[in-house]
Amino acid sequence: MTRTVYLNGAYLPEAEAKVSIFDRGFLMADGVYEVTSVLDGKLIDFGGHCVRLARSLSELEMQNPHSDAEWLAIHRELVAVNAIEDGMVYLQVTRGNPGDRDFAYPSDDVTPTVVLFTQAKPGLADNPAAKVGIKVISIPDIRWGRRDIKTVQLLYPSMGKMAAKKAGVDDSWFVEDGVVTEGTSNNAYIVKGNKIITRQLSSDILHGITRAAVLRFAVEAQMEVEERAFSIDEAQAADEAFITSASAFVMPVVEIDGAAVGAGKPGHVVARLREIYLDEMRKAAV
Ligand code: PDD
């Protein structure tokens, strides 16, 4: 079965969805994106992704081409026609095709390019990695200064994933001024006793939708939350560590730069947070 994707108002077989070579997403990475997970055919934390999309667009002076209700309808249609039980919907809006290459933004009459597609990931919530945990290395964070905008300029995160792969581990954590900013495609946390520590929000990191939900659930579960930066040394000496993202949910980190975290296997705080997160988000899915 060929996948049906969405391009500028049309639902098309993926091979028929074509975008101009002059599109600024292609030439300038001038675009933003969102990834929403699907569990049991329903969208996880959809409202949060809509809010962040609107903010990313507005920070780049781009019009939001759809209302939240329209975005929801498109997401639901793609999930239905592609029969997605577990997986994700990828959404991208670029500034469109001004007809030629130019650094300056084109005038407002250039319509944005809107692309959405699904990815099936059967058993997404039962990812075996959650049982054993992942290993990370640290690398310098040399990304630009507006990491709070979810842009499609993902080359350095890709290089970070490749550095991890070459080192025989699962992912990289970015370090700047001696402290961790975030993972290549996720937010980073450590656990000390009953306390969850994660970097405070600023333009240094992406404001994770999963992060917001997990911190809320942690407080509700009587855990303490401290929003501050931590170093690799502190993380290696922590009781537990983890990452969050829309696709990994809550994922234990058991090794950092070759040093085991805690007992070197997933701890009970992270396991509990993952369970609460999945339970609550399934209940609220749309
Ligand atoms: N990545 N930090 C970065 C740099 C990210 O790219 C992501 C998400 C996150 C977590 O945000 P959220 O909880 O809203 O997914 C943090 C997505 C999943 C991706 O690029 O595939």
Side-chain angles (χ1 to χ4, degrees):
M1 197 181 91
T2 173
R3 176 164 50 173
T4 298
V5 303
Y6 177 93
L7 173 61
N8 299 332
Y11 294 89
L12 303 167
E14 63 180 63
E16 287 173 30
K18 305 242 166 67
V19 175
S20 165
I21 62 161
F22 295 111
D23 194 280
R24 287 180 59 93
F26 179 65
L27 294 179
M28 308 268 182
D30 187 356
V32 302
Y33 76 109
E34 283 295 330
V35 176
T36 304
S37 272
V38 178
L39 291 177
D40 304 323
K42 289 183 163 179
L43 298 156
I44 300 296
D45 214 340
F46 187 72
H49 290 285
C50 280
V51 170
R52 186 173 59 193
L53 172 67
R55 180 175 181 277
S56 292
L57 289 167
S58 114
E59 290 299 299
L60 295 178
E61 298 172 44
M62 286 168 70
Q63 297 295 319
N64 192 337
H66 292 295
S67 66
D68 290 359
E70 287 166 353
W71 283 124
L72 179 59
I74 300 167
H75 278 71
R76 281 182 164 158
E77 178 67 13
L78 282 182
V79 168
V81 294
N82 292 298
I84 303 294
E85 274 300 304
D86 293 341
M88 56 197 54
V89 182
Y90 176 90
L91 171 173
Q92 176 169 323
V93 182
T94 74
R95 208 181 298 273
N97 163 25
D100 212 342
R101 183 173 181 271
D102 188 3
F103 279 84
Y105 296 170
S107 60
D108 285 345
D109 55 7
V110 173
T111 44
T113 302
V114 179
V115 169
L116 287 90
F117 58 82
T118 54
Q119 280 184 303
K121 302 228 165 173
L124 179 62
D126 303 316
N127 187 343
K131 295 270 185 304
V132 290
I134 64 162
K135 299 174 179 178
V136 303
I137 52 168
S138 62
I139 61 170
D141 195 340
I142 59 163
R143 297 173 300 162
W144 78 326
R146 289 304 307 273
R147 303 157 191 160
D148 56 313
I149 307 174
K150 198 165 170 59
T151 74
V152 297
Q153 38 171 32
L154 295 174
L155 187 53
Y156 192 63
S158 295
M159 291 167 76
K161 296 270 188 203
M162 290 313 293
K165 209 171 167 179
K166 281 179 195 148
V169 299
D170 305 287
D171 207 351
S172 296
W173 276 9
F174 294 136
V175 173
E176 187 174 53
D177 299 330
V179 283
V180 174
T181 50
E182 58 188 332
T184 55
S185 62
N186 42 65
N187 291 116
Y189 307 72
I190 56 173
V191 180
K192 283 182 161 181
N194 193 37
K195 194 192 284 177
I196 317 283
I197 301 166
T198 194
R199 197 182 172 100
Q200 68 281 6
L201 295 181
S202 72
S203 53
D204 296 337
I205 61 167
L206 186 74
H207 301 189
I209 302 306
T210 319
R211 177 188 182 280
V214 164
L215 294 188
R216 198 170 68 238
F217 297 142
V219 169
E220 283 169 18
Q222 315 298 325
M223 295 173 196
E224 209 183 316
V225 170
E226 193 175 332
E227 294 182 69
R228 64 160 173 86
F230 55 83
S231 67
I232 290 293
D233 282 353
E234 188 180 9
Q236 287 171 327
D239 298 325
E240 299 180 39
F242 64 103
I243 56 163
T244 65
S245 77
S247 47
F249 307 124
V250 176
M251 182 64 67
V253 171
V254 296
E255 189 188 289
I256 303 170
D257 285 341
V261 179
K265 52 184 193 206
H268 66 276
V269 173
V270 177
R272 176 101 186 89
L273 271 178
R274 181 177 172 90
E275 188 182 295
I276 300 174
Y277 176 80
L278 285 169
D279 281 356
E280 294 298 322
M281 293 326 258
R282 278 186 201 275
K283 278 190 233 160
V286 294

